[in-house]
């Protein structure tokens, strides 16, 4: 790891630690038996572990509503800026379970955009050589995909966020190096995060129904909500499939 990368993560860790130390501690009764080991409990006890995590989060939110949002946002932004896989997905689903749908979707979209912008700026200032040297294939794929849209860079940015053609973590790191303007990256990326935000919010609501089901078939509820998510993605899929196929052939 070079010096620029070390500086990158020192900044992220410092901001995260300062925030954790600044907000009220989780002293609620529901959080008493919670530890970091809950994330490694395995699938055999997944429902109980998730239930404990949600109970703690909702209790903390009840007593410290503003601090809960601040802590959630900083953790989400830090995980996304550090390109740690999986963590933001877990946080997105938890937002859907803990907050009303509109609030949860806004939290997911805004924090995804802020985290991506943080990675964009840090990459532009500190990681230019690191990104191009360590990921030459992904860099060329990203550059070619953006160039294929010509002057329509807004649609290119939305397309990159919606489709898995280039990993999302690398889109954030690579866009400043291929000339993507920051305002297009932020607002175009925000629009591109909408389907994923709705998707994870619905998953969170379904998860909460699974944990709190009383007399209702939880699996029927989950499958119903899971199926509805594809209604959100269907228009984008119909509009982008042909373009995605052509683009994949061109840059592969």
């Amino acid at each position: 790891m070079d010096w620029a990368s070390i500086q990158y993560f020192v900044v992220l860790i410092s901001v995260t630690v300062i925030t954790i130390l600044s907000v009220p501690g989780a002293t609620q009764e529901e959080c008493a038996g919670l530890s970091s080991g809950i994330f490694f409990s395995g699938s055999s006890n997944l429902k109980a572990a998730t239930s404990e995590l949600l109970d703690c989060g909702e209790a903390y939110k009840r007593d410290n509503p503003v601090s809960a949002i601040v802590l959630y946002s900083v953790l989400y932004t830090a995980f996304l800026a550090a390109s740690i896989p999986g963590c933001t997905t877990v946080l997105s689903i938890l937002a859907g379970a803990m907050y009303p749908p509109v609030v949860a979707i806004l939290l997911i979209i805004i924090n995804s955009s802020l985290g991506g912008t943080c990675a964009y700026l840090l990459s532009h200032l500190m990681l230019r050589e690191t990104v191009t040297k360590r990921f030459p294939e992904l860099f060329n794929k990203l550059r070619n995909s953006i160039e294929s849209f010509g002057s329509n860079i807004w649609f290119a940015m939305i397309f990159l966020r919606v489709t898995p053609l280039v990993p999302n973590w690398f889109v954030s790191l690579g866009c400043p190096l291929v000339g993507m303007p920051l305002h297009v990256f932020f607002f175009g990326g925000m629009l591109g995060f909408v389907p994923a935000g709705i998707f994870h919010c619905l998953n969170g609501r379904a998860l909460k129904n699974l944990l709190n089901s009383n007399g209702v078939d939880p699996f029927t509820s989950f499958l119903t909500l899971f199926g509805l998510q594809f209604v959100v993605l269907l228009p984008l899929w119909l509009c982008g499939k042909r373009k995605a196929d052509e683009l994949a052939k061109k840059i592969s």
Side-chain angles (χ1 to χ4, degrees):
M1 181 178 291
D2 57 31
W3 177 241
S5 299
I6 294 174
Q7 289 178 305
Y8 179 94
F9 287 105
V10 165
V11 171
L12 291 177
I13 294 172
S14 298
V15 172
T16 304
V17 170
I18 290 172
T19 301
I20 293 174
L21 295 176
S22 300
V23 299
T27 58
Q28 291 73 18
E29 181 181 351
E30 293 85 348
C31 304
L34 201 65
S35 67
S36 59
I38 195 171
F39 297 102
F40 309 100
S41 58
S43 59
S44 60
N45 197 31
L46 181 59
K47 182 174 181 178
T50 306
S51 179
E52 293 177 16
L53 188 61
L54 281 176
D55 288 343
C56 176
E58 291 181 338
Y60 186 85
K61 181 192 70 173
R62 182 186 63 240
D63 296 339
N64 308 284
V66 176
S67 295
I69 291 179
V70 171
L71 182 60
Y72 176 91
S73 299
V74 170
L75 288 175
Y76 198 111
T77 300
F79 284 136
L80 192 60
S83 302
I84 301 177
C87 293
T88 53
T89 300
V90 173
L91 289 174
S92 296
I93 293 174
L94 284 176
M98 291 173 55
Y99 291 97
V102 174
V103 176
I105 292 171
L106 285 176
L107 278 174
I108 294 168
I109 294 172
I110 292 173
N111 287 307
S112 295
S113 300
L114 290 175
T117 301
C118 180
Y120 176 105
L121 293 174
L122 289 171
S123 176
H124 175 69
L125 296 173
M126 304 164 65
L127 300 177
R128 180 176 296 271
E129 294 184 2
T130 302
V131 171
T132 54
K133 288 182 178 179
R134 294 191 178 183
F135 309 102
E137 293 184 3
L138 284 176
F139 179 75
N140 290 331
K141 181 178 290 189
L142 176 65
R143 181 175 56 190
N144 292 338
S145 64
I146 293 175
E147 289 177 352
S148 69
F149 285 91
S151 60
N152 196 353
I153 56 175
W154 283 94
F155 187 78
M157 191 63 240
I158 296 172
F159 179 84
L160 287 170
R161 286 305 193 192
V162 172
T163 63
L165 196 61
V166 178
N168 252 324
W169 64 268
F170 190 81
V171 172
S172 299
L173 294 176
C175 274
L177 311 183
V178 295
M180 177 68 70
L182 179 58
H183 70 282
V184 177
F185 174 86
F186 183 84
F187 292 106
M190 184 176 287
L191 292 174
F193 281 127
V194 170
I198 297 174
F199 184 89
H200 291 310
C201 178
L202 290 175
N203 272 332
R205 304 300 292 179
L207 176 62
K208 190 170 185 178
N209 289 338
L210 279 172
L211 297 175
N212 300 331
S213 58
N214 294 313
V216 180
D217 182 5
F219 295 101
T220 300
S221 175
F222 177 81
L223 290 175
T224 300
L225 288 172
F226 186 80
L228 288 174
Q229 297 170 33
F230 291 99
V231 176
V232 177
L233 299 175
L234 183 60
L236 291 167
W237 181 81
L238 292 175
C239 294
K241 185 177 184 301
R242 180 177 299 179
K243 183 67 177 178
D245 291 340
E246 295 175 355
L247 185 56
K249 292 178 181 179
K250 184 180 298 185
I251 67 178
S252 60

